[in-house]
Amino acid sequence: MNAKKRELPGITLDPEDWSELRALGHLMLDDMIDYIEHVRERPVWRPIPQEARDRFRAELPREATELGAAYDEFSRFVAPYTSGNIHPGFMGWVHGGGTAVGMLAEMLAAGLDANLGGRDQMPIEVERQIVEWARSMFGFPAGASGVFVTGTSAANLLAVLIARTGALGREVRQTGVSAKGGVLRAYTSTGAHVCISQAFEISGLGSDVLRRVPADASYRMDLPALRRAIAEDRAAGLSPFLVVGTAGTVDTGAIDDLGALADLCAKEQLHFHIDGAFGALAVWSPELAPLVKGIERADSIAFDFHKWAQVPYDAGFLLARNGELHRATFASSAAYLRREARGLAGGSPWPSEFGLDLSRGFRALKTWFTLKTFGTDRMGAVIARTCSLAKYLERRVLAEPQLELLAPVALNIVCFRHRGNDALNAQIVVDLHESGIAAPSTTSLGGRLAIRAAFVNHRTQTCDVDALVDAVIRFGKERSARDQ
Ligand SMILES: *Cc1c(COP(=O)(O)O)cnc(C)c1O
């Protein structure tokens, strides 16, 4: 019998004409390289026209659309209206700027369509390489474990769960946290990111278990206050189990005294976790590394490759000192995930045993390409330069009588404002965004609204800082004149 004849009619998603797809693919690649190369010629951000939004409120398509037509919609209605974080004038929140290398690596990863949950495949060896590199970056021992996650929010959650397993034992996975969990106490500073408190909510421990220790005048966790809180809690019969330090707070870039926190945690036998979302990577810069001294003594570190390391979104990472405890917190068995010593189902342990995700993308590839092709010396220099830009902005703010500095510049973040009230400063920031000149964000410090510029993007230069300062002064003047 002819085997061919028994085949089902050909329904596949591969193109009939590969040459047409190839030509369009080359065009897309050229367009995106142009998009990155010429980013400076565009505004940082521009308001989204209604037509663009309307395009993406369409019916679920039953019929096919030509790839070229879909690409045209992308080019006209999506690509021009992003948040602008790849633009040198972007200074809001804490966003990386991406690189063309990262983009190409994403394309390669998508081509492989690798699922990094497990199994014996080289993509997992690439992720293991990054785990090893992370281990060496932070001086963690053999036996430490690491895993890619979406971002530091997810990594902090994993760390809280690991510390919980450490405190309550593996049984907590069956019994839940209810009885014994209620007496646990954890500590972080008031400057910590909101995702720390969310991690406690999600973990089932509840955010009441997390005590917010005041920050000092430099926005670092106040150590005497932390010591007092721990002593008070022990005296009240509670069980301190975790301290979360921050290397680079989101508001001001403050770095807790990590060495002192490590000493305290060792003495009190507490899990020492560090939220180092961006700041942890200061280890790559010889000038900045001393600021995060003590990071090598943490029990776990959460950080992002998608911020200071410029890897395209998303690429969060958790590193844990005690790999066994890490695995004991998450690993589960199931018949359909059975391991073998040989063959495709080998290669234990699998990354899925170290987190919440079974199916996982190949975040490791864009990270590997980035580290491999730039090297950590250059990455460290890029990071140090963002801090120099912050110092430059600080000098410019101090030199302008209309402007005032609101917090010491510890790292790469500058909080300042135009003299006047909160409303004026909020309006200036909106004016800046709509002008497309620069995109800082805002925060509140000591009850006052701050214009907040965080330098993360490797493309930002002093001319961008000058453009920001000049525009703040100009918009401030215009607004004040109008309100007279
Ligand atoms: C960005 C940031 C986070 C959150 O990280 P995501 O990658 O956005 O989830 C947490 N902590 C700090 C200090 C941050 O800067």
Side-chain angles (χ1 to χ4, degrees), residues 114-126 128 337-351 353:
N115 178 345
L116 282 263
R119 291 156 288 270
D120 200 20
Q121 49 169 332
M122 268 318 282
I124 288 186
E125 294 299 336
V126 177
R128 289 190 181 127
L337 296 175
R338 187 186 142 91
R339 305 305 152 79
E340 304 293 348
R342 294 163 35 227
L344 177 56
S348 251
W350 291 1
E353 293 166 51

Side-chain angles (χ1 to χ4, degrees), residues 346-418:
S348 251
W350 291 1
S352 56
E353 293 166 51
F354 294 91
L356 310 179
D357 304 312
L358 178 54
S359 294
R360 309 167 64 252
F362 198 178
R363 297 181 179 109
L365 190 67
K366 56 193 173 182
T367 307
W368 183 82
F369 264 99
T370 301
L371 298 187
K372 184 95 174 165
T373 63
F374 297 115
T376 58
D377 284 355
R378 182 145 166 218
M379 299 302 295
V382 162
I383 285 170
R385 206 174 73 97
T386 62
C387 296
S388 307
L389 288 172
K391 282 287 173 198
Y392 177 72
L393 174 57
E394 178 186 42
R395 286 198 297 280
R396 282 229 47 195
V397 167
L398 293 173
E400 297 289 348
Q402 301 95 315
L403 305 181
E404 54 181 322
L405 192 71
L406 293 192
V409 177
L411 212 55
N412 60 330
I413 299 176
V414 184
C415 288
F416 69 104
R417 68 188 230 153
H418 197 285

Side-chain angles (χ1 to χ4, degrees), residues 13-328:
L13 301 180
D14 282 334
E16 264 169 42
D17 180 358
W18 283 94
S19 63
E20 201 178 299
L21 180 115
R22 185 184 302 272
L24 201 52
H26 283 266
L27 173 75
M28 289 177 183
L29 185 57
D30 278 338
D31 285 354
M32 286 316 286
I33 291 174
D34 284 343
Y35 182 86
I36 299 174
E37 183 182 354
H38 298 292
V39 59
R40 188 175 270 288
E41 295 156 27
R42 300 191 298 269
V44 183
W45 179 84
R46 57 185 119 187
I48 303 172
Q50 193 56 41
E51 189 194 358
R53 289 191 208 275
D54 289 345
R55 284 282 174 145
F56 287 83
R57 287 173 188 164
E59 297 284 312
L60 176 69
R62 291 200 58 193
E63 303 287 330
T65 301
E66 290 285 333
L67 177 59
Y71 178 57
D72 183 58
E73 274 196 62
F74 164 84
S75 303
R76 288 164 58 205
F77 301 113
V78 179
Y81 307 110
T82 64
S83 65
N85 54 295
I86 76 164
H87 193 286
F90 189 93
M91 303 161 188
W93 303 275
V94 183
H95 278 39
T99 65
V101 167
M103 175 186 82
L104 296 175
E106 278 287 66
M107 184 190 71
L108 302 179
L112 297 184
D113 192 23
N115 178 345
L116 282 263
R119 291 156 288 270
D120 200 20
Q121 49 169 332
M122 268 318 282
I124 288 186
E125 294 299 336
V126 177
E127 180 154 343
R128 289 190 181 127
Q129 171 75 89
I130 307 293
V131 173
E132 275 310 293
W133 285 350
R135 210 173 60 69
S136 89
M137 272 153 55
F138 297 111
F140 269 41
S145 51
V147 68
F148 272 99
V149 290
T150 44
T152 290
S153 307
N156 282 329
L157 171 61
L158 299 194
V160 168
L161 295 172
I162 292 169
R164 176 216 60 177
T165 308
L168 299 179
R170 201 185 184 284
E171 323 74 84
V172 68
R173 293 180 57 178
Q174 284 76 50
T175 60
V177 297
S178 47
K180 290 196 280 174
V183 300
L184 293 182
R185 283 297 175 272
Y187 309 83
T188 197
S189 95
T190 47
H193 195 278
V194 66
C195 67
I196 304 293
S197 157
Q198 281 175 319
F200 279 84
E201 294 169 13
I202 298 165
S203 71
L205 288 164
S207 53
D208 285 350
V209 156
L210 180 67
R211 284 189 67 164
R212 307 293 293 251
V213 177
D216 64 18
S218 321
Y219 297 92
R220 298 161 55 143
M221 196 175 345
D222 182 342
L223 281 162
L226 172 62
R227 282 196 201 95
R228 274 197 304 279
I230 293 172
E232 262 169 42
D233 286 343
R234 288 211 195 278
L238 300 167
S239 302
F241 80 113
L242 165 68
V243 172
V244 180
T246 305
T249 63
V250 69
D251 270 343
T252 65
I255 300 169
D256 288 336
D257 185 340
L258 303 178
L261 290 179
D263 287 341
L264 181 66
C265 287
K267 182 165 154 269
E268 298 276 351
Q269 301 213 306
L270 310 177
H271 184 113
F272 178 31
H273 174 66
I274 296 178
D275 175 353
F278 61 98
L281 294 184
V283 293
W284 284 340
S285 157
E287 305 135 76
L288 300 175
L291 298 174
V292 293
K293 182 125 191 51
I295 198 167
E296 69 287 349
R297 296 169 62 198
D299 291 301
S300 49
I301 307 171
F303 66 98
D304 284 320
F305 286 107
H306 58 220
K307 289 176 173 172
W308 252 351
Q310 319 290 335
V311 170
Y313 283 93
D314 49 35
F317 200 87
L318 177 74
L319 185 69
R321 180 173 297 276
N322 182 342
E324 275 313 306
L325 182 64
H326 185 182
R327 194 174 177 199

